[in-house]
């Protein structure tokens, strides 16, 4: 059983995992960070998107052991220090960019990666970027609006 | 100026905070002390006889807690069907048993055969691979026409694979046949309404738990209606009385119909938690969802529409084969019948209508309601056929519809298919949509598309739906085995804040916000003082749940009724406090006042006094401030609207791009415009997904070809446009207290014909008259080839 | 997933040694392998994570470029050292999260019949370097999921030549977003090469008729009509005839876009 340690949302964590333990399982089951969700088994839906070393990845398509030593960020770490919603989170609420909420953590983490790479994305660029995130509720319309608003707010 | 509170305000959703911070609690986020994990061994063949199941090697595998097969569940009932259809001969539908685990035979790929419970999911799955199955494969039947034409039999109870053969309305048949025989013009269209998979992003999950000391069962489950699950599972499957069975549906990650039904896995974990004495969790992986969640649609229909020389509709005849799959899911029989036949009048004055529906068993996953359920199928038939008729007769498609719309002064309007529309104005939504779509400049857009080498097409569709699925008297007459009212308790706490226990279930619809807006409006209080509680049979008096766009129309009305009772009780208390006659007390803006005086008491005083009744006249005034209502409406509600789609087609590749889409809906009164618009966006995308991308496909052996998201094409952000939506054309419902109609399904109902009509329009000069959904690039290209050859 | 051991060697030599174990398997970015493992469609005894030993860099070289076997698609797409046509190929693979993890070495070792990099490698005439040797693209691809790699051989890098004109046209399979058909057209010192992915039951391949026609006349008019549909993949997303038709359409578009 590999011993792993990593930084998750700024805190050092460690654990013993099986080789086959996925990063998302380590987050949900070992660390109790259940905000990261699993919606599929073919790396399509994006409900599990987290950041590893600053890049968005699908936590269901990465072994926990491969993230040994990495800096991991999840939806639980996206709020402001005072607990208020971060800029992207607030934009999602303001623009009704979520309904059932299940895809939402992945959407927010994916959007955050987009906005760190492209400060002012066009609608088309946002839609293309979200290729790896499936939402069954919103029709994406308000997610796109929320990300545009977050960009305008300087996320 | 828009309101910032109450009815009509776009209040931000309070539930969003937990969802946006990762603090939602979905079923799979719950872990119970001592929890074990279930894995279902499922059939990998579509049809077979089980000759033996040897679990001995698996039983001794590491971590195994228990292994169960059908023989362990002999005392349990089958998974019940909640709706009975009587066929044209007066016989009840054929209703073969749907066992929790397969009994002697398997009927579809994914049929559960055995369940392994172990300390971890991996151990359960490892052990399941050691189960030795002896299954004798039988020839399967997948195609509906083959099934009713002497194909292999799925169930002995239905040798011809026909579950029921239904005529609606039988008495209309002769008149319809005559009108079609003598008509100036008859438009005929044969079409398929493609099979879909709901694919809520949260897979189904169930946790069973048993408290031996109290003899109490708890089921945590991904359900749209926990009380219905308690009723069906408790009464019909496991014989557990309601007071010993708690069903909790916490945050649920989308349903779209697929989480209405009672599923075998729910019954199994509830039963087995007692058998093994430990909590049991089962979570579907997506591949499992594809072969165990009830699927949607799958109709094949021939439509004939008779018209006179002016384009007036004279008669409509529809013949449909409806796939039930291998077993009858909870609501399956009502989808192609009462949710479909009753909508064939559409928005139109067609005087006589007849439909025949044959429901067919096949060796495929059961089919049941999916967003819209029956109404999308009816609308697609009508709106595609009207579009074809317009083209054949050389009449503008907007004009042809308008010539046949039910006039706004004709309501209430009795259709020839049983239902009576209470109100509507179909011309208004059509005019609105036409204005939104800017059709005056369409020709210029078409020219611009052609300059890019693309073909542009314009598609029009109207729709009407029967929503607020309820009236118990009506659905009872139509075969429902349950009532379809809704319940709500409103509890005013001593310091004046309010808890509302509703039988509706929110799994994305935002009830926690909208229901609070309704209550705050009525009580003149801040929305933040109102808490909405749902999803737990231990906390809520009763409920029939959320589906059929019924939550605000039925569940919201039940809340209104309870708040009205609260206000009446409050007036009694206020009258007592002010030493006035109850009849003289009025309530407005959170104040109880005596008419014609300056005497008043505020809400907080009345609430506190209700619980500190030191000098109540107890013979006439009880302490407390809590009221419960069961609301059973007089009729369905009838949202309607008009949708316009423009597409660009790349004829070289067959690729269709949605250039624009506008939707003008009449939902009656609107509680929260932001949420209503979000519901429309989502519905449109599911409808456009059906029309453009999604297809659940089996091969001839019954293997699911589109068995994962690698092959089942879900609409993504870059497949969809930004939408233009409008709900300003409002004819409020005449028979519920809020004047609301429901908005959840509209988009999925009206959008498929709008898109397909647009694609056909783009290709009509090549001779293309119809393309079945999904209008995938390969199909578009093939249709062009076929038309040109 | 079945149980397996996990190792992450610090050097290529250690990785090669670790891969000598029976049923050992190399793990690149894992974007295909991990879903495969989750479906229990593979049962390795040990996964050898190459993330700790492979070069992940992108460097310009003789007008072309050299890409480390561990370079992610995202890093290729973002690199100013890679030619524009290659960046576009990388940027069209999967989705952003797949591009952030998936590697060129993993993609080529897997040789999915609908993946993008094989078309770019074959169509550009690139060379694949392993721990043991260098393999020409024409020798490397040997059918669906089949390559010239020996057991335990690791792709350490890919060298793309300078091309005068090149373009890759991908037509998405709507669900997986792999190529329903993809065509790479490259014109360089070695002449014109046309490589097709997604279409053939034998995996990525060159379209000789188109190459011959384009060699003398590099224009859309020269592109032949659709190739034979024999041996072309047919599934729910498209018939063999449709895919064959797309091969010609996409070749024309690639020639037009290559300029």
């Amino acid at each position: 059983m590999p011993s792993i340690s990593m930084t998750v949302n700024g805190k050092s964590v460690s654990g013993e995992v099986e080789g086959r333990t996925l990063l998302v399982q380590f987050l949900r089951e070992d660390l109790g960070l259940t905000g990261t969700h699993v919606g599929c088994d073919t790396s399509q839906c994006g409900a599990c998107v987290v950041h590893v070393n600053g890049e968005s990845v699908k936590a269901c398509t990465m072994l926990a052991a491969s993230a040994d030593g990495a800096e991991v960020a999840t939806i639980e770490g996206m709020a402001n220090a005072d607990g208020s919603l971060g800029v992207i989170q607030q934009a999602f609420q303001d623009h009704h960019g979520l309904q059932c909420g299940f895809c939402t953590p992945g959407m927010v983490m994916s959007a955050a990666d987009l906005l760190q790479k492209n400060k002012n994305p066009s609608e088309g660029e946002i839609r293309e970027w979200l290729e790896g995130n499936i939402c069954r509720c919103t029709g994406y319309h308000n997610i796109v609006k929320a990300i545009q608003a977050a960009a305008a707010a300087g996320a | 100026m828009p309101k910032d509170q109450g009815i009509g305000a776009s209040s931000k959703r309070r539930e969003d905070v937990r969802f946006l911070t990762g603090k939602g609690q979905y079923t799979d986020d719950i872990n119970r002390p001592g929890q074990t994990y279930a894995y279902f061994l499922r059939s990998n063949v579509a049809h077979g006889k089980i000759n033996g199941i040897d679990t001995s090697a698996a039983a001794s595998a590491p971590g195994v807690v228990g292994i169960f097969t059908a023989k362990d569940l002999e005392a349990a009932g089958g998974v019940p069907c909640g709706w009975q259809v009587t066929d044209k001969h007066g016989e009840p539908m054929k209703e073969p048993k749907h066992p929790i685990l397969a009994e002697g035979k398997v009927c579809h790929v994914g049929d559960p055969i055995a369940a392994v419970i172990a300390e971890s999911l991996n151990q359960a799955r490892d052990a399941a691979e050691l189960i030795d199955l002896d299954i004798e494969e039988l020839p399967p039947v997948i195609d509906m026409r083959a099934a009713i034409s002497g194909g292999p039999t799925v169930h002995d109870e239905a040798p011809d694979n026909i579950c029921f053969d239904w005529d609606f309305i039988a008495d209309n048949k002769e008149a319809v046949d005559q009108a079609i025989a003598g008509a100036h013009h008859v438009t005929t269209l044969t079409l398929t309404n493609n099979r879909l998979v709901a694919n809520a992003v949260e897979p189904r999950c169930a946790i069973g738990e048993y408290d031996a000391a109290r003899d109490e069962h708890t089921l945590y489950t991904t359900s749209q209606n926990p009380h219905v699950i308690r009723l069906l599972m408790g009464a019909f499957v496991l014989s557990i009385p309601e007071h010993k069975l708690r069903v909790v549906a916490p945050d649920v990650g989308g349903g779209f119909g697929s989480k209405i039904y009672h599923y075998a896995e729910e019954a199994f974990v509830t039963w087995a938690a007692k058998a093994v004495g430990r909590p049991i969790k089962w979570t579907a992986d997506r591949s499992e969802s594809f072969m165990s969640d009830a699927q949607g649609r799958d109709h094949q229909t021939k439509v004939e529409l008779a018209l006179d020389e002016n384009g007036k509709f004279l008669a409509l005849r529809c013949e449909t084969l409806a796939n039930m799959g291998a077993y009858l899911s909870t609501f399956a029989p009502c989808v192609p019948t009462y949710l479909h036949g009753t909508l064939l009048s559409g928005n139109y004055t067609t005087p006589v209508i007849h439909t025949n529906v044959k429901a067919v068993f096949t060796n495929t996953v059961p089919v049941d309601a999916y967003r819209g359920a029956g109404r999308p199928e009816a609308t697609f038939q009508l709106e595609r056929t009207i579009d074809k008729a317009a083209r054949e007769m050389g009449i503008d498609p907007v004009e042809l519809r308008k010539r046949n719309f039910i006039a706004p002064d004709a309501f209430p309007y009795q259709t020839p298919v049983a239902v009576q529309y209470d109100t509507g104005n179909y011309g208004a939504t059509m005019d609105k949509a036409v204005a939104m779509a800017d059709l005056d400049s369409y020709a210029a857009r078409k020219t611009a598309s052609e300059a890019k080498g693309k073909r542009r097409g314009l598609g029009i569709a109207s729709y009407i739906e029967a929503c607020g699925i309820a009236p118990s008297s009506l659905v009872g007459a139509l075969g429902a085995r349950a009532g379809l009212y809704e319940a709500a308790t409103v509890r005013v706490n001593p310091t004046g804040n309010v808890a509302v226990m509703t039988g509706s279930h929110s799994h994305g619809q935002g009830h926690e916000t909208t229901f609070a807006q309704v209550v705050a409006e009525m009580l003149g209080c801040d929305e933040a003082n109102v808490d909405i509680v749902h999803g737990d049979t231990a906390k809520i008096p009763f409920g029939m749940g959320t589906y059929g766009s019924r939550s605000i129309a039925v569940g919201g009305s039940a809340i209104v009724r309870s708040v009205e009772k609260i206000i009446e009780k409050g007036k009694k208390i206020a009258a007592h406090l002010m030493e006035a006659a109850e009849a003289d007390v009025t309530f407005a803006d959170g104040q109880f006042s005596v008419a014609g005086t300056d005497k008043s008491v505020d809400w907080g005083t009345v609430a506190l006094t209700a619980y500190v009744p030191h000098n109540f006249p107890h013979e006439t005034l009880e302490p407390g401030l809590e009221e419960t209502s069961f609301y059973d409406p007089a009729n369905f509600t009838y949202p309607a609207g008009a949708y316009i789609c423009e597409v660009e087609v790349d004829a070289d590749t067959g690729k269709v791009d949605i250039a624009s889409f506008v939707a003008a809906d009449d939902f009656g009164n609107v509680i929260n415009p932001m949420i209503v618009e979000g519901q429309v966006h989502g519905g449109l995308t599911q409808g456009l997904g059906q029309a453009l991308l999604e297809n659940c496909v089996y091969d001839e052996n019954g293997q699911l070809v589109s068995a994962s998201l690698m092959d089942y094409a879900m609409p993504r952000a870059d497949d969809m446009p930004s939408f233009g939506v409008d709900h300003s054309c409002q004819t409020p419902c005449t028979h519920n207290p809020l004047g609301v109609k429901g908005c959840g399904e509209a988009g999925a109902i009206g959008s498929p014909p709008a898109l397909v009509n647009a694609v056909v329009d783009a290709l009509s000069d090549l001779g293309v008259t119809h393309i079945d959904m999904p209008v995938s690039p390969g199909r578009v290209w093939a249709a062009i080839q076929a038309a040109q050859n | 997933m079945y149980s397996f051991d996990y190792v992450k060697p610090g050097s290529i030599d250690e990785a090669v040694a670790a891969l000598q174990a029976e049923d050992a398997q190399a793990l690149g970015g894992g974007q295909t392998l991990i879903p495969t493992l989750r479906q229990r469609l593979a049962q390795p005894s040990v996964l050898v994570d190459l993330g700790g030993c492979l070069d992940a860099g992108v460097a310009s070289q003789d007008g072309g470029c050299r890409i480390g076997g561990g370079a992610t698609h995202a890093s290729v797409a973002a690199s100013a050292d890679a030619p524009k046509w290659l960046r576009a190929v990388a940027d069209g693979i999967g989705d952003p999260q797949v591009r952030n993890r998936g590697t060129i070495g993993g993609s080529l070792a897997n040789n999915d019949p609908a993946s993008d990099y094989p078309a770019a490698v074959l169509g550009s005439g690139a060379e694949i370097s392993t721990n043991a040797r260098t393999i020409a693209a024409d020798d490397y691809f040997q059918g669906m999921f089949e390559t010239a790699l020996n057991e335990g051989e690791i792709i350490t890098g890919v060298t793309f030549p300078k091309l005068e004109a090149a373009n890759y046209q991908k037509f998405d399979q709507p669900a997986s977003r792999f190529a329903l058909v993809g065509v790479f057209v490259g014109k360089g010192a070695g002449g014109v090469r046309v490589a097709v992915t997604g279409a053939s039951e034998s995996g990525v391949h060159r379209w000789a008729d188109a190459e011959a026609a384009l060699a003398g006349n590099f224009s859309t008019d020269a592109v032949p009509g659709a190739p034979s549909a024999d041996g072309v993949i047919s599934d729910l997303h498209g018939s063999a005839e449709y895919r064959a038709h797309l091969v010609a359409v996409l070749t024309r578009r690639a020639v037009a876009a290559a300029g």
Side-chain angles (χ1 to χ4, degrees):
Chain A
M1 295 251 289
S3 280
I4 59 170
S5 58
M6 61 185 83
T7 306
V8 177
N9 300 329
K11 285 184 1 192
S12 296
V13 300
S14 57
E16 300 256 307
V17 296
E18 286 188 276
R20 61 180 165 179
T21 302
L22 297 166
L23 176 58
V24 71
Q25 292 172 318
F26 181 67
L27 293 170
R28 287 179 57 82
E29 296 165 19
D30 293 50
L31 305 182
L33 295 172
T34 56
T36 302
H37 298 148
V38 179
C40 80
D41 43 18
T42 53
S43 200
Q44 302 283 312
C45 82
C48 65
V49 170
V50 301
H51 293 187
V52 173
N53 295 330
E55 303 275 357
S56 59
V57 306
K58 291 181 172 170
C60 80
T61 313
M62 181 172 183
L63 298 175
S66 295
D68 184 31
E71 291 205 13
V72 176
T74 73
I75 189 68
E76 286 90 347
M78 292 298 282
N80 297 325
D82 65 358
S84 61
L85 296 179
V87 173
I88 298 171
Q89 292 168 315
Q90 188 62 57
F92 269 69
Q93 186 187 31
D94 291 347
H95 294 275
H96 191 28
L98 66 154
Q99 291 183 22
C100 82
F102 196 81
C103 78
T104 306
M107 283 287 178
V108 170
M109 299 310 289
S110 186
D113 191 18
L114 169 64
L115 294 178
Q116 71 187 359
K117 291 178 168 133
N118 183 347
K119 293 286 176 200
N120 187 24
S122 67
E123 176 180 341
E125 287 170 336
I126 293 170
R127 289 183 180 277
E128 280 185 26
W129 180 270
L130 295 179
E131 186 173 1
N133 292 84
I134 292 174
C135 171
R136 196 52 151 166
C137 293
T138 64
Y140 305 100
H141 180 110
N142 284 340
I143 291 174
V144 173
K145 274 172 61 180
I147 295 172
Q148 287 173 318
Chain B
M1 201 179 102
K3 296 171 70 174
D4 62 358
Q5 283 250 344
I7 290 174
S10 284
S11 300
K12 291 178 195 173
R13 300 200 328 166
R14 55 182 63 188
E15 44 273 80
D16 289 358
V17 175
R18 67 178 187 272
F19 296 144
L20 282 164
T21 53
K23 302 298 182 193
Q25 191 176 53
Y26 300 88
T27 308
D28 191 54
D29 298 339
I30 296 169
N31 292 297
R32 303 299 301 162
Q35 177 175 290
T36 61
Y37 297 83
Y39 178 79
F40 290 90
L41 179 64
R42 296 177 183 277
S43 179
N44 59 11
V45 301
H47 197 193
K49 183 164 171 280
I50 302 173
N51 288 326
I53 308 173
D54 182 353
T55 60
S56 53
S60 54
V64 170
V65 174
I67 301 182
F68 300 95
T69 62
K71 70 176 167 41
D72 302 301
L73 286 152
E74 280 170 357
V79 179
C81 180
W83 203 291
Q84 155 134 5
V85 168
T86 302
D87 83 357
K88 66 182 185 184
H89 307 298
E91 298 291 320
M93 66 187 187
K94 307 294 194 304
E95 199 173 349
K97 184 178 180 185
H98 182 183
I100 297 172
L101 296 173
E103 288 177 0
K105 61 173 184 171
V106 288
C107 294
H108 65 87
V109 169
D111 214 355
I113 299 166
V116 181
I117 297 164
E119 299 290 347
S120 76
L121 181 57
N122 275 325
Q123 288 174 327
R125 201 166 171 178
D126 290 342
E129 295 195 3
L130 301 174
I131 295 174
D132 189 12
L133 285 180
D134 178 1
I135 293 186
E136 177 186 339
E137 272 194 69
L138 299 171
V141 63
I142 308 305
D143 176 72
M144 286 195 281
R145 290 196 189 280
I148 62 170
S149 313
T153 293
V154 180
H155 297 289
D156 293 342
E157 295 90 330
D160 56 1
N161 294 312
I162 293 179
C163 174
F164 56 80
D165 183 347
W166 184 76
D167 265 348
F168 188 74
I169 288 176
D171 291 347
N172 289 349
K173 185 171 190 308
E174 198 177 325
V176 170
D177 290 349
Q178 279 179 1
I180 288 175
H184 168 79
H185 184 85
V186 178
T187 292
T188 303
L189 183 59
T190 301
L191 52 84
T192 296
N193 204 289
N194 42 326
R195 185 186 278 235
L196 304 177
V197 179
N199 274 324
V201 180
E202 179 203 28
R204 283 193 299 119
C205 177
I207 303 169
E209 185 168 18
Y210 178 67
D211 182 337
R214 293 183 173 82
D215 186 31
E216 286 174 0
H217 300 261
T218 301
L219 170 68
Y220 301 87
T221 185
T222 48
S223 176
Q224 301 175 217
N225 33 229
H227 287 85
V228 173
I229 303 306
R230 186 181 67 166
L231 177 67
L232 292 173
M233 185 175 79
F236 298 101
V237 186
L238 299 179
S239 299
I240 305 170
E242 282 96 331
H243 67 295
K244 293 294 183 188
L245 175 57
R246 176 185 176 200
V247 178
V248 183
D251 288 328
V252 172
F256 317 109
S258 69
K259 292 172 182 168
I260 299 172
Y261 323 116
H262 176 41
Y263 286 99
E265 295 89 355
E266 295 171 318
F268 178 79
V269 298
T270 304
W271 174 85
K274 182 176 180 180
V276 303
R278 308 253 309 260
I280 300 170
K281 176 188 274 190
W282 167 76
T283 307
D285 59 27
R286 180 60 55 187
S287 306
E288 203 171 10
S289 305
F290 270 99
M291 53 184 171
S292 69
D293 292 3
Q295 300 176 346
R297 313 279 195 263
D298 203 351
H299 287 193
Q300 292 176 12
T301 299
K302 181 184 178 190
V303 191
E304 294 160 284
L305 176 68
L307 304 95
D308 73 11
E309 60 274 20
N310 298 316
K312 281 293 277 183
F313 303 162
L314 302 175
L316 178 74
R317 183 163 64 199
C318 303
E319 294 169 25
T320 289
L321 296 181
N323 207 333
M324 295 287 102
Y327 303 104
L328 289 180
S329 178
T330 308
F331 280 170
C334 84
V335 175
T337 53
Y338 300 109
L339 293 178
H340 166 247
T342 53
L343 271 298
L344 287 172
S345 195
N347 312 58
Y348 310 105
T349 55
T350 316
V352 285
I353 296 171
H354 181 260
T355 185
N356 175 268
V357 176
K358 292 179 180 67
V360 182
F361 289 117
T362 58
N363 292 112
T364 61
V365 172
V367 178
D368 206 326
Y370 166 70
R371 200 170 194 166
R375 293 150 289 173
E377 293 90 322
T379 303
F380 190 72
Q381 290 164 36
L382 273 178
E383 296 297 319
R384 276 293 300 128
T385 305
I386 292 168
D387 207 68
K388 187 160 182 259
R391 204 170 299 284
E392 287 172 354
M393 295 183 71
I395 303 173
D396 176 81
V398 172
E399 170 62 22
L400 180 61
R401 286 177 172 84
K402 285 189 162 183
R403 284 184 200 173
N404 289 281
F405 277 158
I406 298 162
D409 60 1
F411 295 94
Y413 180 82
Q414 178 61 51
T415 73
V417 277
V419 294
Q420 187 184 78
Y421 302 157
D422 61 340
T423 181
N425 187 343
Y426 310 136
T429 50
M430 182 60 81
D431 289 343
K432 185 77 197 181
V434 166
M436 292 165 73
D438 189 19
L439 293 192
D440 291 344
S441 57
Y442 176 72
R445 293 195 294 277
K446 191 171 174 71
T447 303
S449 295
E450 283 163 0
K452 292 189 294 180
K454 300 282 181 70
R455 292 175 157 269
R456 199 172 187 100
L458 176 69
I460 311 284
S462 292
Y463 78 91
I464 188 166
E465 47 172 337
C467 289
I469 297 299
S472 294
S473 56
L474 183 54
V475 298
L478 297 176
R481 288 166 168 163
L484 280 175
Y485 42 82
E486 195 48 271
T489 294
V490 174
R491 175 182 300 152
V492 180
N493 292 313
T495 61
N497 52 69
V498 181
V500 177
M501 278 60 74
T502 172
S504 298
H505 186 278
S506 186
H507 33 277
Q509 297 86 346
H511 296 168
E512 293 171 34
T513 301
T514 47
F515 288 0
Q517 288 178 254
V518 171
V519 174
E521 176 87 21
M522 292 181 73
L523 293 180
C525 69
D526 196 284
E527 284 170 22
N529 288 343
V530 183
D531 193 26
I532 305 297
V533 180
H534 64 97
D536 187 342
T537 61
K539 295 180 181 170
I540 293 140
F542 204 74
M544 295 308 295
T546 288
Y547 38 83
S549 307
R550 71 193 302 273
S551 292
I552 193 66
V554 191
S557 295
I559 293 170
V560 169
R561 288 286 180 257
S562 289
V563 175
E564 288 169 349
K565 291 180 190 175
I566 290 283
I567 292 170
E568 288 311 304
K569 174 79 178 284
K571 285 181 181 175
K572 283 191 170 70
I573 297 170
H576 167 70
L577 284 172
M578 294 186 287
E579 298 179 334
E582 187 189 328
D584 294 336
V585 176
T586 59
F587 179 71
D589 301 326
Q591 292 281 329
F592 293 91
S593 309
V594 180
T597 76
D598 60 358
K599 284 205 278 188
S600 70
V601 288
D602 64 13
W603 172 255
T605 304
V606 169
L608 185 64
T609 308
Y611 292 93
V612 190
H614 285 165
N615 58 355
F616 267 24
H618 289 304
E619 59 283 2
T620 56
L621 188 56
E622 279 181 26
L625 198 50
E626 173 168 326
E627 299 287 350
T628 294
S629 301
F630 283 67
Y631 178 80
D632 201 339
N635 194 354
F636 292 113
T637 63
Y638 299 95
Y643 292 175
I644 298 180
C645 178
E646 290 184 27
V647 298
E648 281 189 334
V649 182
D650 178 344
D652 281 342
T653 62
K655 177 99 167 37
V656 174
D657 288 318
I658 303 170
S660 70
F661 199 101
V662 299
D665 293 291
D666 175 1
F667 296 132
N669 294 334
V670 164
I671 307 300
N672 182 320
M674 176 191 81
I675 287 178
V676 165
E677 288 162 19
Q679 290 291 306
V680 175
H681 299 151
L684 291 175
T685 299
Q686 288 188 340
L688 295 171
Q690 166 168 29
L692 201 56
L693 295 161
E694 299 180 41
N695 205 17
C696 180
V697 179
Y698 293 85
D699 70 12
E700 67 276 12
N701 298 316
Q703 295 295 330
L704 190 52
V705 179
S706 53
S708 80
L709 295 176
M710 294 288 279
D711 281 304
Y712 187 89
M714 295 281 280
R716 317 253 185 134
D718 59 357
D719 294 314
M720 289 295 128
S722 282
F723 301 107
V725 301
D726 178 88
H727 44 78
S728 65
C729 301
Q730 299 183 349
T731 60
C733 171
T734 60
H735 57 81
N736 66 42
L738 292 166
V740 292
K741 298 186 179 185
C743 63
E745 296 163 296
I749 293 170
S751 60
L755 182 131
V756 178
N757 288 347
V759 174
V760 172
D761 180 56
L763 304 174
S764 62
D765 63 324
L766 298 172
V768 173
T769 58
H770 180 69
I771 305 175
D772 269 326
M773 300 186 292
V775 285
S776 62
R779 285 185 175 184
V780 170
W781 179 78
I784 294 170
Q785 303 308 305
Q788 289 183 326
N789 294 330
Chain C
M1 283 190 273
Y2 294 107
S3 185
F4 52 77
D5 291 330
Y6 170 90
V7 294
K8 191 171 184 178
S11 72
I12 297 283
D13 287 346
E14 286 171 40
V16 170
L19 285 167
Q20 298 307 307
E22 194 173 347
D23 295 325
Q25 187 156 6
L27 172 68
Q31 300 304 287
T32 299
L33 180 57
I34 290 177
T36 304
L37 294 171
R38 290 180 67 190
Q39 309 260 6
R40 294 195 166 206
L41 297 174
Q43 191 169 8
S45 61
V46 55
L47 271 196
V48 181
D49 187 339
L50 303 179
C53 65
L54 276 181
D55 171 22
V58 180
S60 59
Q61 181 176 310
D62 303 334
C65 73
R66 157 123 189 147
I67 308 222
T72 62
H73 311 325
S75 64
V76 174
S79 173
D81 290 323
K84 204 172 150 192
W85 51 263
L86 183 59
R87 294 173 61 182
V89 172
D91 200 38
I93 300 171
D95 56 52
Q97 290 74 40
V98 167
R99 293 196 287 275
N100 280 338
R101 289 291 299 163
T103 63
I104 191 168
S107 171
L108 295 174
N110 189 47
N111 190 21
D112 187 293
S115 68
D116 303 306
Y117 263 142
V121 167
L122 186 61
S124 65
E127 288 181 334
I128 292 158
S129 311
T130 75
N131 57 299
R133 57 187 168 144
T134 297
I135 309 170
D138 285 326
D139 300 326
Y140 178 81
F141 300 104
Q142 302 195 342
M144 253 189 203
F145 301 109
E146 297 288 334
T147 71
L149 291 177
N150 294 318
E151 286 282 314
E153 193 172 3
I154 297 169
I155 296 174
T156 53
V158 184
T159 305
F160 289 92
K162 178 181 182 184
L163 296 177
E164 293 166 38
N167 183 260
Y168 177 60
Q169 291 285 315
K170 175 181 184 176
F171 193 84
D172 282 353
Q173 194 262 51
S176 69
R177 303 291 181 104
F178 275 70
L180 185 70
V181 175
V183 176
F184 186 97
V185 173
K187 185 180 176 201
V192 176
R193 296 168 70 101
V194 178
V196 179
T197 188
S200 171
E201 290 168 355
S202 324
V204 68
H205 64 282
R206 289 172 65 182
W207 185 17
D209 290 351
E211 291 182 355
L214 288 165
N217 176 15
F218 193 75
S219 74
T220 54
D221 294 343
V223 175
S228 163
D230 290 347
V232 174
I233 296 168
S234 183
D235 62 17
L236 77 161
H237 302 292
S239 65
E241 292 72 22
Y242 174 60
R243 278 186 165 86
H245 165 78
L246 279 184
V247 169
V249 171
L250 298 177
T251 303
R252 282 197 296 275
R253 291 183 179 183
V255 169

